[in-house]
Amino acid sequence: MKLKVRYFFGIFFLVSATSFSMSNGYELWLNYNKIADEDLRNEYRSNLQTIYLEGDSDTHLAIKKELQMGFGGLLDTEVIFQKYNGTGNALIVAKYDDLPQDFKTIVTAEGLTEEGYVIKTAQLKDKSYVVVSSKGDIGLLYGTFHFLRLLQTHTPLTDIDIMEMPKVDIRVLNHWDNMDRSVERGYAGFSIWNWHTLPGYIDQRYIDYARANASVGINGTVLTNVNANALILTPHYLEKVKALAEVFRPYGIKVYLTARFSAPIEIGGLETADPLDPNVIQWWKDKTKEIYTMIPDFGGFLVKANSEGQPGPQNYGRSHLDGANLMADALEPYGGLVIWRAFVYSEHDPTDRAKQAYSEFIPEDGKFKDNVLLQVKNGAIDFQPREPFHPMFGAMPNTPLMMEFQITKEYLGFATHLVFLPKLFEEVLKSDTYRKGKGSLVAKVIDGSLDNKKLSGMAGVSNVGTDINWTGHPFGQADWYGFGRLAWDPYMDSETIADEWLRVTFGNNDKFVELVKQMMIESREAVVNYMNPLGLHHIFDTGHHYGPGPWVGNLSRPEWNPVYYHKADDDGVGFNRTKTGSDALSQYAPEVEKMFTDLETCPEEYLLWFHHLPWDYTLKNGRTLWDGLGLKYQEGVDQVRDMIKTWKAMEPYVDKDRHHQVSMLLNIQLKEAIWWKDACMSYFQTFSKMDFPKEMEAPEHTLEYYKSLKFPYAPGIRPRWN
C-alpha cells in the first residue's frame, strides 16, 4: 500500500491547485494565494531561495509537497530543494538528529515532544536561515504548516523564535456519519466517507481532509456515528477503514471507530454482550487483535452506551466501569484507548437530566483502567447555545476527562447561521471550577495539569460534509479551524483565532480583518440573545431541533420536552436547580454553587438556568424579567442586522462568490432570528399576561401560526421516506 499512498501524494497537489476555483472555499485555510504585496513577496523570495529538507518517509514526502504548493502559490516561484551548502538565505527543515551539525548549537530539541517543533531565525557565518525542526516526523509536519501560516499572515522572518508543543494529547474529530452516508446533525451534505467505493477508490477529499486536520494539529478521527453500527467492525468494512488509515498515517492522524456494545451478538453470534461473560471478553480481545493486525496504529474505540436507546452494560445489570474496562483490557496490549462517553440520561430520573452523568460516574473515579478517557460534553444538558460548564470537570481527579465540543451547529442555527463557536469553546475552557481553589480552570482539567493526569483529550463533533466548501457556511470553516487550535492549546483566545483564520482564508487587509473579526466575536452572543436569552435552554422544536418549540410538551419522555426545561407558568419561568429545587448546583464546588445560587452574584446569562423567577422580577438594569427577555430577543435580531451591514461593507475585500453566499445566508439568519423572537415571546406572553416591551418589534404572526409550522425534511436527521 505504501506505493499507492506515494502515488496519491504525487498527484493531490495538482488536483487541489487546478480543479477548484479560489472562491468556492474548497481549499479552506490552505489556499496559498499569491502574496499581493510585491515588496513583501520579493523579501520572502530573497530570504528563502532554497529549501534543505532531510528525510524520505511518507511524512517527509507530504512536507515536501506542501512546501511546493505553499511556496509556489504564496511566492509565485519555483521551489528549489538542495543539500545544505552554507550559502544562506535558505529554509532548513529537518528533525533535530538530521540537522546539519552547524545548526545543533543554535537550535535545541530539549524539552520537545515528538509532536512539538521549533521555528527559528538563525545567523550562521554571516548567513541567514530559517530553521524548522522537531524530534519526530509529525512534529516536523506541524512545524511546516506553522511556518507556511507565518507566510500567509505576512509575518516578518527576522527574529523568529517559536517553540510549540500540544498541551492536549488526543485531539480528534468525531464524525456522526452513518454508513448510508447520512450524517446525524450534519448540515454540509452527506458523509465524505464513500464506503461503497473504498478501499479501491481513494477520494481526493480524504487526502485534503488529512492536510487540513494536520495543519491545525488534529491527530485523530472517529469515522463513524456514536449511535453505532456493528457492521463497521466486520472484515468487509475493516478493509475500507485500513485504506483510510493508510492515507491519514503520514499526517499523524489515527483512526478510531465507534464500538456498538451489542456487537458480540449482532456480528459475533453470541447470545449476550455481558461485559463479565468470558465469551464476550474473548470476543472483544479477538476482534481487537484482528483490527490491529490490519491497522497497527489504530487509535481505539469510542463508545456511547446506555444513552438514548443505545445498548450498554446496564442492560446486563453491570456498570459503565465494567463496560469501559472490558474494552480497555482488549486494547491495552496494543496501546489503544477507550473513549467512553458520559452523555447519559434516563426517563427514570424524575428530578433533573443535568444531574445524571455526575451521579453515575463520580463514584467510579479512579477505578477505570489507565487507557480509558471519559468524554464529557461541555455542559450537562446538550450543546446549548450557552451552558454553564459540566460539573464533572474537576470532580474526578483520578480519571482523565476528555472535552466534547460540538462543531456542527445542531442547536445554533445549522449551517445557515454565522456563529463563531471558538468564542463558546473559550468561555467554557476559561470557566473556573474552583476544585483546587481559584484558578482551577476547565482548561487545566482538560490538559491534565490540574491533577497531573497522564492522558488528556479534546473531541469535536465534526461539521464536515460533501459540500464543495466542506462546512456549508463559509464561516463554518472557522469553527473547524478554531477547534483544532484550541485542542492544541486550550488557553488560546478566540479573538486571536478569528484574526488568524481571516488572514489565512480571506487575506490580510487590516480594515477587513478588524471589522469582520469583531462581527465574528459578537456573533455567538447574538445567537444566544435571539434563541435562548437569560439562561433559557433546550426550547428547540422536537427531533430536528430546527427553530423554536417552547410549547412542545407531548413527547413520551419528560426530558425530551422543552416545557421540562423552561417550566413557564403564571408565576414565572426558569428551572430551579438550587437546594429548593433539583439541587443540581450541589454538584459544583462550594464557591461555584454559592455564586450561582445567590441572585446577587448569579450572572444574568445563567439566571433562568438555575432559578425559576417571577415575570416581574427586577433585573440589574431595573427592568422586569419579562421586559428583559423581550429586549434580549430584540437585541439578537438587531445584532444580525448589524452583521448584514458589516458584511455588505466588506464587498470590496471579498471575492464575489463567497460574498454573495454569506450575504444570502445572513438574510436567512435574520429571518430566523425574527422567527425565534416572535414565536418565543408570543408563547411566553400566554403566561406573563404582560404587554411586550415598547422597544421590541411586534410579532409578525399569531402564536397558532408558529405552532403550526412543520419541517419533516429538516436536515441533520436520517431521512424518513414514508
Side-chain angles (χ1 to χ4, degrees), residues 500-519:
E500 193 175 88
W501 177 79
L502 284 167
R503 292 182 185 277
V504 297
T505 304
F506 286 100
N508 284 273
N509 183 282
D510 288 334
K511 179 180 179 181
F512 168 82
V513 170
E514 288 306 313
L515 289 172
V516 179
K517 176 172 64 177
Q518 191 61 34
M519 179 182 80

Side-chain angles (χ1 to χ4, degrees), residues 284-294 330 334:
W284 281 108
K285 287 182 176 180
D286 292 343
K287 178 55 63 176
T288 302
K289 180 179 180 181
E290 177 188 356
I291 294 172
Y292 276 95
T293 300
M294 300 173 68
Y334 311 96

Side-chain angles (χ1 to χ4, degrees), residues 572-694:
V573 64
F575 199 123
N576 183 0
R577 291 189 165 100
T578 70
K579 289 189 184 303
T580 61
S582 75
D583 198 27
L585 268 170
S586 66
Q587 294 182 337
Y588 288 96
E591 297 91 337
V592 177
E593 179 184 7
K594 181 180 178 182
M595 176 186 67
F596 284 134
T597 298
D598 189 338
L599 286 170
E600 292 298 314
T601 56
C602 181
E604 287 189 338
E605 57 261 36
Y606 296 122
L607 200 59
L608 302 180
W609 190 284
F610 293 116
H611 299 274
H612 188 277
L613 297 171
W615 297 106
D616 61 357
Y617 172 82
T618 303
L619 298 173
K620 290 182 174 63
N621 63 5
R623 301 294 290 267
T624 65
L625 173 61
W626 171 248
D627 280 358
L629 281 174
L631 294 176
K632 282 293 184 184
Y633 274 110
Q634 185 63 54
E635 182 182 358
V637 170
D638 292 340
Q639 285 172 303
V640 179
R641 288 180 175 135
D642 289 341
M643 291 163 65
I644 291 172
K645 291 177 184 176
T646 297
W647 188 249
K648 182 174 178 57
M650 296 301 101
E651 191 169 4
Y653 309 105
V654 183
D655 58 87
K656 182 179 178 181
D657 289 347
R658 280 187 294 181
H659 189 273
H660 183 54
Q661 185 181 6
V662 173
S663 295
M664 289 189 292
L665 291 169
L666 283 171
N667 282 316
I668 293 173
Q669 186 170 355
L670 176 60
K671 180 180 177 181
E672 295 186 355
I674 294 170
W675 171 29
W676 269 93
K677 170 183 70 70
D678 292 355
C680 291
M681 289 300 289
S682 295
Y683 171 74
F684 289 128
Q685 190 186 45
T686 65
F687 299 102
S688 76
K689 310 294 196 299
M690 300 168 77
D691 292 335
F692 297 123
K694 63 181 183 301

Side-chain angles (χ1 to χ4, degrees), residues 179-190:
M179 294 172 68
D180 63 1
R181 300 194 73 182
S182 64
V183 182
E184 183 176 344
R185 310 307 176 187
Y187 310 108
F190 289 97

Side-chain angles (χ1 to χ4, degrees), residues 34 83 92 108 115 150 156 178 199 266 274 282 290 310 327 361 386 400 425 429 440 490 528 609 628 647:
K34 185 171 82 171
K83 290 291 184 181
I92 308 293
T108 177
E115 292 184 312
L150 295 178
N178 300 311
E266 295 172 14
D274 183 343
Q282 189 60 49
E290 177 188 356
Q310 291 298 299
M327 294 186 179
F361 285 97
R386 169 168 280 128
F425 304 159
L429 291 165
S440 303
V528 171
W609 190 284
W647 188 249

